[in-house]
Amino acid sequence: MDRDAEKAEYDVAQVEREKAPSSDAAVDDDVSEEEGKRIIWRIDRRLVVLVGVLYCISLMDRTNLSTAAVAGMLDDLQLGGNRYSVATLVFFITYIIFQPPSTILVRKVGPRIFLSTITLLWGAVMIGFGFAPSFEVLTALRIILGILEAGYFPSCVYLLSTWYTRYEVGRRYSVFYLLGCVASACSGILAFGLMQITAAGLAGWRWIFIVEGIITCCLASLGYWLLVDFPESKRQSWRFLTDRERAWIVRRVNADRGDVVAPKFKLSLFLRGGMDWRVWGYAMISFCSNTLTYSLAYFLPLILYTNLGFSRGASQCLVAPPYAFAGIYMYLTGWAGDRYKIRGPIIIINMVVALIGLPILGWHPNNGVRYFGSFFVTAGATANIPASLAYQANNIRGQWKRAFASASWVGFASVGGICGSLVFRSQDAATGYRPGLYACITACLVAILTVCILDLSYYLDNKKADRGEKQLEAADEEYQPGFRYTY
């Protein structure tokens, strides 16, 4: 059967009749306010929690190289010189290349099959890491891991944005990424426990990969049954919403931004999203934010061990508190952004918090105080991931433009990952990794400048639209009258 027929969407004419010119997502129909809240809560429990848990595993799998390094991998595989940085970096090459097609494939294949399949495959690759005999094999596995993980994050970001209105996504992205923080917080403690295993003649660091790979494969099987499709799709999701409830979701999202129905895919339609300069502004914010987050993910345990003087076990476990604090801070900023309908100021505040922590982490003479500085850096950097995603989601219309923007955001995030894997060099350990700290400070300042430019453009365009001089996002499919940018 034709794939498009399988993916039959709601009647476009009916959707057009149900559109409202206001961005207020309230829909006056047979679903009461109380029932509507219950439907949203069911979506939160099923969709946000599940993709968040799988992302937790994804982040743990891609960043557990640092915990394995502290546990003895550097010596066993002879990863001296720049070999560790190379093994870290090669992941992002394929991760970047294979991201743009992923948001197209998830539409064609469906989230349930696509996301669960790639999760199962990268879990198998993770198990292979535990048996890597050399630097060359480790590097090859990192390249394959990049191919498989490339589709997960942009597809999840895209999927979440289709189920919620513009002023609901901030908290949802925060919860989604909050579960990723759980990975960062718990990975060190889990790794400390796993590195004690010496069964089957394998070193403890190898069991970190093997056990975490098995967990990934088990969760992938769970995802096959529980992941849900796009709201307008008629592909069945196991024990989820009724047709009436899905129709209500379609109506309320259409009332908010009028772009539920995705036109048939055309490459030109997909690439047209890149003609909006603001899409690249979101990508630059992503690059700057992820330079910080990946620097922390890959090097914080090593900084604690080699520079601040903590033991191997303490370095693994002390990674958890900063990420636990970051999770609380991130949710509060996500709530504030949705509550007060602001996006740009949240990103600026987060970067200022990171800017406070970086000098403390790098220059204070007391190691305990320097560790305290890592709380600020981790909170500011981590909170800006969902904040920048919400900033982008609020100011984009059109399904294929949204897909392109998600892919470009994650692509630049990956470039930030490459930068983050290189800025803290082993030869800089004696200086307290100051060149890496300077790079992170620069990233914060560039992100603040980018937000200021974007917010100014939004303010001016909204004023023109209020005066009837301009129609916003009118070039995109199914133009929505009354649309305004959020700054």
Side-chain angles (χ1 to χ4, degrees):
M1 183 182 290
D2 187 314
R3 177 71 63 182
D4 291 331
E6 284 181 24
K7 207 179 86 168
E9 297 159 334
Y10 287 87
D11 179 70
V12 176
Q14 179 185 350
V15 169
E16 288 293 336
R17 290 193 298 271
E18 291 165 342
K19 280 187 186 179
S22 169
S23 62
D24 184 1
V27 179
D28 185 18
D29 59 291
D30 60 333
V31 176
S32 67
E33 181 180 353
E34 192 62 33
E35 184 182 3
K37 289 180 180 179
R38 288 198 299 269
I39 293 171
I40 296 300
W41 173 237
R42 287 173 62 192
I43 298 169
D44 290 342
R45 287 185 303 172
R46 179 77 169 263
L47 177 60
V48 179
V49 172
L50 183 57
V51 296
V53 168
L54 290 176
Y55 180 63
C56 169
I57 295 299
S58 167
L59 198 60
M60 188 181 294
D61 288 346
R62 85 178 65 159
T63 59
N64 57 13
L65 214 60
S66 62
T67 55
V70 173
M73 183 184 68
L74 294 178
D75 297 328
D76 289 358
L77 299 187
Q78 300 178 353
L79 300 182
N82 64 353
R83 280 187 161 193
Y84 175 74
S85 291
V86 170
T88 302
L89 182 149
V90 293
F91 166 88
F92 293 100
I93 298 173
T94 48
Y95 190 72
I96 293 170
I97 292 172
F98 286 89
Q99 277 170 1
S102 67
T103 48
I104 301 170
L105 283 173
V106 75
R107 266 284 176 190
K108 292 290 183 182
V109 178
R112 183 174 65 87
I113 295 175
F114 179 72
L115 295 176
S116 60
T117 299
I118 61 174
T119 304
L120 179 66
L121 292 175
W122 92 56
V125 170
M126 287 307 303
I127 295 173
F129 272 78
F131 300 94
S134 64
F135 162 72
E136 291 76 15
V137 173
L138 180 74
T139 302
L141 289 172
R142 288 283 293 177
I143 292 172
I144 297 171
L145 185 66
I147 296 173
L148 296 172
E149 286 209 30
Y152 187 78
F153 191 81
S155 297
C156 287
V157 169
Y158 178 35
L159 177 62
L160 286 170
S161 71
T162 62
W163 278 93
Y164 296 100
T165 61
R166 287 182 297 156
Y167 298 115
E168 293 174 339
V169 294
R171 277 173 294 173
R172 274 71 187 188
Y173 281 147
S174 293
V175 172
F176 169 60
Y177 201 74
L178 173 63
L179 292 168
C181 285
V182 172
S184 300
C186 297
S187 60
I189 299 173
L190 178 61
F192 178 70
L194 295 176
M195 64 186 281
Q196 311 303 319
I197 303 175
T198 56
L202 298 175
W205 66 265
R206 295 184 181 276
W207 284 105
I208 295 174
F209 293 118
I210 294 170
V211 173
E212 291 182 4
I214 292 171
I215 294 172
T216 301
C217 291
C218 293
L219 288 175
S221 302
L222 183 67
Y224 178 80
W225 294 104
L226 297 181
L227 281 167
V228 303
D229 215 299
F230 294 98
E232 83 284 0
S233 171
K234 288 189 176 179
R235 283 187 292 248
Q236 293 299 310
S237 299
W238 184 69
R239 300 188 66 170
F240 192 42
L241 303 182
T242 65
D243 290 343
R244 169 178 167 274
E245 291 167 336
R246 290 169 72 100
W248 178 76
I249 292 293
V250 168
R251 289 195 295 274
R252 73 192 299 271
V253 173
N254 253 330
D256 180 59
R257 60 176 185 264
D259 66 353
V260 167
V261 176
K264 189 173 182 179
F265 174 75
K266 292 181 182 178
L267 184 61
S268 59
L269 195 62
F270 178 74
L271 296 177
R272 192 172 70 186
M275 296 177 66
D276 184 351
W277 67 270
R278 292 184 176 107
V279 168
W280 304 108
Y282 309 136
M284 179 55 68
I285 297 169
S286 170
F287 165 78
C288 295
S289 300
N290 282 277
T291 296
L292 270 69
T293 56
Y294 278 109
S295 297
L296 291 167
Y298 285 123
F299 291 100
L300 185 57
L302 290 175
I303 292 172
L304 295 175
Y305 176 59
T306 63
N307 197 249
L308 270 65
F310 293 103
S311 67
R312 288 180 187 267
S315 298
Q316 301 279 27
C317 297
L318 286 175
V319 171
Y323 280 101
F325 171 72
I328 298 170
Y329 174 83
M330 179 172 56
Y331 183 80
L332 291 175
T333 57
W335 174 87
D338 281 354
R339 174 67 176 80
Y340 298 105
K341 299 184 179 181
I342 55 173
R343 299 301 182 205
I346 297 293
I347 297 175
I348 292 174
I349 290 170
N350 291 339
M351 282 303 185
V352 170
V353 169
L355 282 171
I356 293 171
L358 283 165
I360 298 174
L361 178 62
W363 283 274
H364 199 280
N366 184 284
N367 285 343
V369 177
R370 291 178 66 186
Y371 173 64
F372 175 72
S374 70
F375 282 70
F376 287 90
V377 182
T378 306
T382 304
N384 256 353
I385 303 303
S388 59
L389 286 170
Y391 191 48
Q392 170 194 269
N394 275 204
N395 295 301
I396 285 178
R397 285 200 64 262
Q399 289 285 350
W400 292 118
K401 183 176 181 180
R402 192 174 299 278
F404 181 90
S406 295
S408 62
W409 189 99
V410 182
F412 272 67
S414 305
V415 177
I418 293 174
C419 184
S421 67
L422 296 175
V423 293
F424 289 96
R425 304 175 302 174
S426 57
Q427 56 263 44
D428 297 326
T431 69
Y433 296 99
R434 289 186 180 179
L437 294 168
Y438 289 133
C440 290
I441 290 171
T442 302
C444 291
L445 295 174
V446 171
I448 291 172
L449 178 61
T450 304
V451 172
C452 289
I453 293 172
L454 286 169
D455 273 4
L456 178 61
S457 73
Y458 293 147
Y459 175 80
L460 295 175
D461 277 355
N462 282 353
K463 289 297 183 183
K464 290 179 181 179
D466 291 342
R467 294 192 298 266
E469 299 172 6
K470 186 173 185 178
Q471 293 180 338
L472 304 182
E473 300 290 313
D476 297 298
E477 65 264 21
E478 298 189 27
Y479 163 62
Q480 177 81 344
F483 180 86
R484 295 293 183 270
Y485 293 121
T486 304
Y487 47 82

